[in-house]
Amino acid sequence: MKKGVTYPLKVDTHLSTVSSSVNYNDIECVDIKSNGHYVVKFMYREWVGPLNLMTTQKTSIKISIDLKEQTVTCTHTDKKKTVYRWGEFPNKKEMEQNKKEDNPVQYETFLSSNFNSEKYVNDLFTHKTDNQATVHLQYLENRKLGCIDHLKKDVYKNHLIFIGASKEIANSEVDMLDFRNLISDYGNVMSSLQNISISWDHYKVKKSGKIDFEPLSPATEPIQWLTTAPNELSVSIEQREFEVAVSLVEKINKIYESNPKVEIVMQTHPLKDQIENKVRILTDKLMNELRSPLLKANQIKDTISLLVRLSQNDKAKSIFLESRSHAINHSIKKIVFSGDLNRFIGELARVIFNSINSTCNDFTNSFPSYMNSGLVSWIIEELVLISDIFNRQVFILDNFYSISQAIRIIESHCEMMDQTGLSIGFYWNLLLQPHVEQLIVNYEIKIRDSLLHQLMDEKWNGVSNWDYEVKSQQNSLPSSLKNSGTPNSGGISGGISGGISGGGGGGGGNSNISNNYQSPIINNNGGKKAGLTFQQMHQDNLNNMEDVDQGRLKLTSSTIFLNTIIQKFAIDICQIITIDLIPVISQSLGSIFKDYMSYLQNEIQKEHLSDIQCLAIISDSVYIVDDLVSRIATRFEDATGEKLNNLTQLSSLLYSYFESIRDQYSTRKALELVDNSMNWEEQEYQVEEELDPFPKNFIVLSEALDRLAESIQTNVNVESVLPIASRIISEIVNIISNRFECTSNLVFGYGGLQHFILEMKYLATFAGKYPVEDSTFELINTMIRNHKEIYLNNTSDPKPLKTEEYFTSIIDNLVYQKAVYN
């Protein structure tokens, strides 16, 4: 390499390990020092050192020059390199041909300070003939054309550099004009601008007539450096020296801060757009680096640190979290679902929660603490992703044991995150709540539809051979389910180490639920069994009935079916229950029971039903109100430690349905007894002659009530006898009273009135065996008193009525005879 020689360069793509969008066209050997160090000009900078290791103060790039291979190697901070190669030197044949060329011009003559052009021409052509002069002129012409051609090639080769230099000159001229205008406009404050403007020195005119400027003062050097800042930024960015580039940006900002008026001038200066464009390019490159999934933790931290120094906190945060979300989605797509739901959920949880944990560590190590709210929002978005997958993959199952195991797997990961200081269990429960509530609502709808289908085939025939408790195949349950419980007992929130590693596993804790309440959906191997339908469970219970309790209520098939499915509902829901689910459970239970009781109320009004069928409906309502509702409510209370929030209102409403069912039957039965059994007619009391003192119709009524009591005791229970019989007696008295009111012109005869009083007193006597309301006895006495008055007021010569002792003796005798013969 020779001093003063410029060597054209081209990038050697075969040897380079990193490409460059900027082509440096040449390298110039400026000087060769006595110690063997070279000074070369390359990349618009001067490099000093031995050929194998040359450096410059403005960049951390190092170059080495191989003269034999004719290469220039640029080594970057990341150990990547760009290799340039210059063209071959002129060969020996061309050099010898140039030496032999007849060149009469001695170029040294022109370098003399005493050169005289006229003397040179006269001496040159004095001894030449015309032909020699012509040849010499032709030679000069050829040399002139060659120089022109060479200049054209040289200009074309350096066209880009020439254009760039022209732009810089133009920009400098604009800068000069801007500063000149500022100085002229603000000349009275010149002293305050000395630290922010370029100091202009007086011009000194030399004798040669050339104009020169004095050197700039130290105060103006940083401002003058701004003109070279875009180029230095470009070089640093292309060489991937991002630390250097960011430092340059900080230096620019520092100049703005220390010189406020420079910033004002830069607002309208083209240089500001150039600098901002370079900063945008630098920011974009750093953003792309941050998107790379191959970055290590320290590289992520360094890249984010650079972006923070560039005041790109929000963009850096967004890109960092978006790249992590993309990585999580990519990892989820790689998970293969082989049919084992727990293994799939375990692997899903491992991928997502490990990513959340690593993201939190990288985020807190790279970003300031006041930006942690963005991290929390991102974590919630990832939890939403899990909850959506749960909704699609888990909550479509009928197997609540599998659902509970999947929930426990996720909750175990949340507990592990709690140990690292990140409490996300609350957010997970908050996201899971709507899905679980919808699961319960769908379960309720399924029960109501199945129950309605069952009611369509209902014949209202009561049977006593039904299972009080739903059998759960307890011996077939795995130990994890036998001991599983509620969040309060450690079930749902218990740790599942097996689930964390990708497999299933059982939760810990002690259950408050009776073993008989476990769900019959597990096979003998502890694995999942296809979920039984309500009809299958109902049929299994009917097939497994033993040791039937003869004192048990007789229930119809639809109520037995309701007993089966509502207990299965409690068994299933208790496996996933939390206190927050109490409202929706209460609402679902209320809807199921209210619909069924309303259906019973409508059915008992149908006239074609027999007495036995009506009693079967009453028996169903008694079982629901007095037993089933409270028993199911107790199950949920044992599971959560909390009562159903609408239990009191629900019980009151269902009891009102029950009373309505019982009253409708009593009214119907009373009318049937009056018209069919007693054959009672009010016209019988118009006779004047005395009748046989024997209340036949009401004796028949008494016997019919006794038979009805036995039927109620057989088909319902003994506790229902007195309420129903009492209601029937009250309704019979009301019927008799209403019929008398409808026939207001009816006047009793003497014998008829005596017989009516006997019958009413006999009715009051056997009604005393039942808890009949006082209003009923008052109504009986009122009818007796009214008809006495009517008789006395409408008879001209009324006969004296029998005394109370007379009626009492007859009634006592009848009661005694009945007791003796029965």
Side-chain angles (χ1 to χ4, degrees):
M1 179 172 283
K2 296 182 180 181
K3 177 180 178 181
V5 179
T6 299
Y7 300 92
L9 299 177
K10 291 184 178 179
V11 178
D12 190 331
T13 57
H14 297 286
L15 297 179
S16 300
T17 59
V18 62
S19 61
S20 176
S21 60
V22 178
N23 292 327
Y24 301 102
N25 296 326
D26 52 44
I27 182 171
E28 179 183 358
C29 180
V30 178
D31 191 13
I32 302 176
K33 297 184 179 181
S34 58
N35 59 359
H37 287 189
Y38 283 73
V39 179
V40 300
K41 187 175 182 181
F42 179 57
M43 295 197 310
Y44 309 110
R45 298 179 177 136
E46 286 190 352
W47 304 76
V48 181
L51 291 178
N52 61 348
L53 182 61
M54 305 187 73
T55 60
T56 182
Q57 295 181 354
K58 296 184 178 180
T59 180
S60 59
I61 297 176
K62 298 178 178 59
I63 68 171
S64 59
I65 301 175
D66 190 336
L67 297 179
K68 183 178 179 180
E69 297 295 333
Q70 299 182 348
T71 59
V72 179
T73 303
C74 303
T75 305
H76 305 281
T77 55
D78 55 2
K79 306 303 182 183
K80 296 182 179 181
K81 62 182 181 179
T82 305
V83 181
Y84 299 85
R85 186 183 296 277
W86 68 76
E88 296 181 355
F89 291 101
N91 55 42
K92 295 182 178 180
K93 291 183 179 181
E94 292 178 348
M95 295 177 63
E96 291 176 357
Q97 184 177 357
N98 290 334
K99 290 181 181 180
K100 294 179 181 179
E101 179 182 354
D102 183 15
N103 184 8
V105 178
Q106 299 297 326
Y107 295 111
E108 292 80 5
T109 306
F110 299 99
L111 298 176
S112 175
S113 60
N114 299 323
F115 176 76
N116 190 328
S117 59
E118 293 181 358
K119 183 179 181 300
Y120 176 79
V121 174
N122 290 332
D123 292 343
L124 181 62
F125 290 98
T126 298
H127 303 290
K128 290 184 182 292
T129 63
D130 293 337
N131 291 332
Q132 290 175 338
T134 303
V135 171
H136 189 78
L137 290 173
Q138 184 63 41
Y139 169 79
L140 294 176
E141 182 67 21
N142 292 336
R143 295 294 292 179
K144 182 186 74 171
L145 295 176
C147 288
I148 294 173
D149 184 68
H150 178 75
L151 288 173
K152 288 181 178 179
K153 291 181 179 180
D154 187 70
V155 171
Y156 179 79
K157 181 178 66 175
N158 298 284
H159 179 69
L160 295 178
I161 298 176
F162 178 79
I163 295 300
S166 299
K167 290 182 178 179
E168 291 296 329
I169 293 172
N171 291 336
S172 298
E173 292 175 352
V174 174
D175 293 344
M176 297 289 288
L177 291 174
D178 289 339
F179 279 109
R180 187 183 67 181
N181 292 334
L182 287 173
I183 292 172
S184 61
D185 293 338
Y186 301 97
N188 56 342
V189 289
M190 193 59 163
S191 59
S192 63
L193 299 177
Q194 289 180 351
N195 293 328
I196 61 169
S197 64
I198 301 177
S199 67
W200 298 92
D201 298 331
H202 295 287
Y203 293 109
K204 293 184 179 181
V205 181
K206 295 186 177 181
K207 293 182 180 181
S208 61
K210 295 183 178 180
I211 298 176
D212 196 5
F213 297 94
E214 288 186 352
L216 296 172
S217 64
T220 62
E221 288 180 1
I223 304 171
Q224 180 65 18
W225 173 81
L226 287 175
T227 60
T228 63
N231 289 334
E232 294 189 20
L233 277 173
S234 297
V235 173
S236 300
I237 293 171
E238 293 301 329
Q239 301 302 329
R240 299 176 60 82
E241 295 177 344
F242 298 133
E243 175 68 31
V244 176
V246 173
S247 298
L248 291 174
V249 175
E250 290 177 334
K251 183 178 179 181
I252 294 171
N253 293 333
K254 186 175 181 181
I255 293 175
Y256 288 165
E257 293 173 0
S258 59
N259 301 275
K261 294 191 177 180
V262 170
E263 185 177 6
I264 296 174
V265 173
M266 292 292 289
Q267 295 298 328
T268 58
H269 198 286
L271 186 61
K272 178 178 176 63
D273 293 336
Q274 297 177 19
I275 293 175
E276 290 180 349
N277 183 48
K278 299 303 178 183
V279 173
R280 281 194 296 270
I281 294 174
L282 173 60
T283 302
D284 292 341
K285 283 189 174 291
L286 290 174
M287 294 294 185
N288 292 332
E289 288 288 319
L290 190 58
R291 289 189 178 95
S292 174
L294 304 178
L295 289 183
K296 297 180 180 179
N298 60 334
Q299 294 174 322
I300 293 173
K301 182 177 179 180
D302 293 342
T303 304
I304 293 175
S305 176
L306 295 176
L307 287 168
V308 170
R309 288 166 60 185
L310 292 173
S311 301
Q312 299 295 329
N313 305 40
D314 293 336
K315 286 186 178 180
K317 177 194 70 177
S318 300
I319 291 178
F320 172 71
L321 295 178
E322 287 174 4
S323 63
R324 291 306 176 91
S325 296
H326 178 75
I328 290 175
N329 291 331
H330 184 70
S331 299
I332 290 176
K333 291 179 181 179
K334 292 183 178 180
I335 301 176
V336 179
F337 181 64
S338 58
D340 189 338
L341 178 64
N342 287 344
R343 185 173 297 276
F344 171 76
I345 295 299
E347 184 65 18
L348 175 71
R350 183 188 63 80
V351 168
I352 295 181
F353 282 96
N354 284 349
S355 298
I356 290 176
N357 188 41
S358 62
T359 300
C360 290
N361 292 334
D362 293 340
F363 190 95
T364 53
N365 291 332
S366 303
F367 291 95
S369 58
Y370 67 83
M371 299 184 69
N372 287 345
S373 59
L375 176 63
V376 173
S377 299
W378 177 82
I379 293 173
I380 294 176
E381 291 178 0
E382 299 309 312
L383 292 178
V384 170
L385 175 63
I386 304 179
S387 65
D388 290 341
I389 295 176
F390 249 74
N391 193 36
R392 297 193 304 268
Q393 298 289 342
V394 178
F395 291 134
I396 61 173
L397 302 176
D398 289 332
N399 192 330
F400 278 76
Y401 171 65
S402 297
I403 295 174
S404 66
Q405 293 298 326
I407 293 176
R408 292 186 184 107
I409 290 173
I410 302 298
E411 290 182 341
S412 66
H413 281 273
C414 292
E415 291 178 355
M416 293 177 63
M417 296 297 292
D418 290 342
Q419 296 175 1
T420 64
L422 183 63
S423 299
I424 60 177
F426 171 77
Y427 293 105
W428 166 248
N429 292 330
L430 197 63
L431 292 171
L432 197 65
Q433 183 80 9
H435 298 298
V436 179
E437 289 180 353
Q438 187 60 46
L439 181 68
I440 295 174
V441 171
N442 293 339
Y443 202 152
E444 171 208 331
I445 295 173
K446 184 177 180 181
I447 289 176
R448 294 167 65 182
D449 291 343
S450 300
L451 189 58
L452 182 61
H453 180 75
Q454 185 74 19
L455 287 170
M456 294 176 63
D457 299 327
E458 180 61 80
K459 303 300 182 183
W460 303 115
N461 296 320
V463 295
S464 58
N465 54 342
W466 52 274
D467 274 353
Y468 185 72
E469 292 283 353
V470 173
K471 294 185 178 181
S472 62
Q473 303 176 8
Q474 178 67 20
N475 294 333
S476 300
L477 296 177
S479 59
S480 60
L481 181 58
K482 294 177 183 179
N483 296 326
S484 64
T486 68
N488 293 335
S489 61
I492 290 180
S493 61
I496 308 174
S497 59
I500 297 174
S501 61
N510 296 322
S511 174
N512 294 327
I513 307 174
S514 171
N515 288 339
N516 290 331
Y517 294 173
Q518 302 300 329
S519 175
I521 55 175
I522 309 297
N523 60 24
N524 291 331
N525 295 326
K528 292 176 288 186
K529 179 180 178 182
L532 298 177
T533 64
F534 300 143
Q535 290 80 4
Q536 289 171 334
M537 289 189 64
H538 174 55
Q539 189 61 41
D540 287 347
N541 290 329
L542 292 179
N543 294 337
N544 294 324
M545 288 182 296
E546 298 177 359
D547 300 329
V548 176
D549 184 0
Q550 297 298 328
R552 181 175 299 173
L553 282 170
K554 287 186 177 182
L555 302 181
T556 62
S557 61
S558 62
T559 303
I560 297 174
F561 180 73
L562 174 63
N563 177 65
T564 302
I565 59 176
I566 208 68
Q567 290 192 61
K568 182 180 184 297
F569 175 79
I571 291 169
D572 290 340
I573 300 304
C574 281
Q575 296 187 74
I576 62 172
I577 194 171
T578 63
I579 294 178
D580 295 331
L581 294 175
I582 294 249
V584 68
I585 293 174
S586 302
Q587 184 176 357
S588 296
L589 287 175
S591 298
I592 294 170
F593 285 122
K594 284 187 291 185
D595 285 356
Y596 189 73
M597 290 294 288
S598 177
Y599 190 90
L600 294 181
Q601 184 185 36
N602 294 331
E603 282 294 306
I604 203 167
Q605 298 176 16
K606 295 181 178 179
E607 296 181 357
H608 68 274
L609 294 179
S610 66
D611 200 51
I612 298 299
Q613 289 176 315
C614 291
L615 292 178
I617 293 176
I618 294 175
S619 180
D620 290 341
S621 62
V622 168
Y623 174 70
I624 292 172
V625 172
D626 291 347
D627 188 292
L628 186 58
V629 173
S630 60
R631 186 153 50 94
I632 296 301
T634 301
R635 286 192 179 187
F636 288 112
E637 182 179 351
D638 291 341
T640 62
E642 296 286 338
K643 292 184 178 181
L644 298 181
N645 54 10
N646 67 338
L647 181 59
T648 302
Q649 295 86 343
L650 177 62
S651 299
S652 177
L653 177 62
L654 296 181
Y655 191 79
S656 65
Y657 276 116
F658 165 69
E659 287 185 328
S660 175
I661 292 171
R662 188 180 62 189
D663 292 347
Q664 289 179 19
Y665 170 74
S666 300
T667 301
R668 171 182 174 177
K669 190 64 178 176
L671 185 61
E672 177 186 337
L673 290 173
V674 170
D675 292 339
N676 299 331
S677 298
M678 297 171 57
N679 294 320
W680 182 85
E681 294 182 357
E682 58 271 26
Q683 287 78 12
E684 295 178 355
Y685 302 116
Q686 294 179 337
V687 297
E688 290 292 334
E689 63 275 9
E690 293 189 17
L691 299 177
D692 187 12
F694 185 75
K696 178 181 178 181
N697 290 337
F698 287 88
I699 292 176
V700 172
L701 173 62
S702 175
E703 293 174 350
L705 286 175
D706 291 340
R707 291 191 300 271
L708 180 60
E710 294 178 358
S711 179
I712 294 173
Q713 183 174 349
T714 301
N715 294 284
V716 186
N717 58 11
V718 66
E719 291 81 4
S720 298
V721 173
L722 294 180
I724 295 176
S726 301
R727 188 63 184 172
I728 291 175
I729 292 173
S730 297
E731 289 296 328
I732 290 175
V733 173
N734 289 331
I735 292 172
I736 293 174
S737 176
N738 291 335
R739 289 189 179 180
F740 281 135
E741 291 179 359
C742 292
T743 55
S744 56
N745 57 351
L746 178 64
V747 179
F748 282 14
Y750 175 76
L753 179 59
Q754 298 283 95
H755 193 72
F756 175 73
I757 295 173
L758 177 64
E759 288 180 336
M760 291 298 101
K761 289 185 176 293
Y762 182 77
L763 175 60
T765 299
F766 73 77
K769 298 190 305 181
Y770 303 98
V772 179
E773 297 176 352
D774 293 339
S775 59
T776 301
F777 294 103
E778 293 177 0
L779 182 59
I780 293 175
N781 293 329
T782 299
M783 286 191 295
I784 294 174
R785 182 172 58 254
N786 291 340
H787 287 290
K788 280 182 178 181
E789 293 177 356
I790 294 174
Y791 171 75
L792 295 175
N793 294 331
N794 291 279
T795 304
S796 58
D797 186 18
K799 298 179 181 180
L801 298 176
K802 303 291 184 180
T803 63
E804 291 292 331
E805 290 77 6
Y806 170 78
F807 295 110
T808 302
S809 62
I810 294 176
I811 293 173
D812 289 344
N813 185 41
L814 292 174
V815 172
Y816 174 76
Q817 292 179 3
K818 183 177 181 180
V820 171
Y821 290 108
N822 290 340

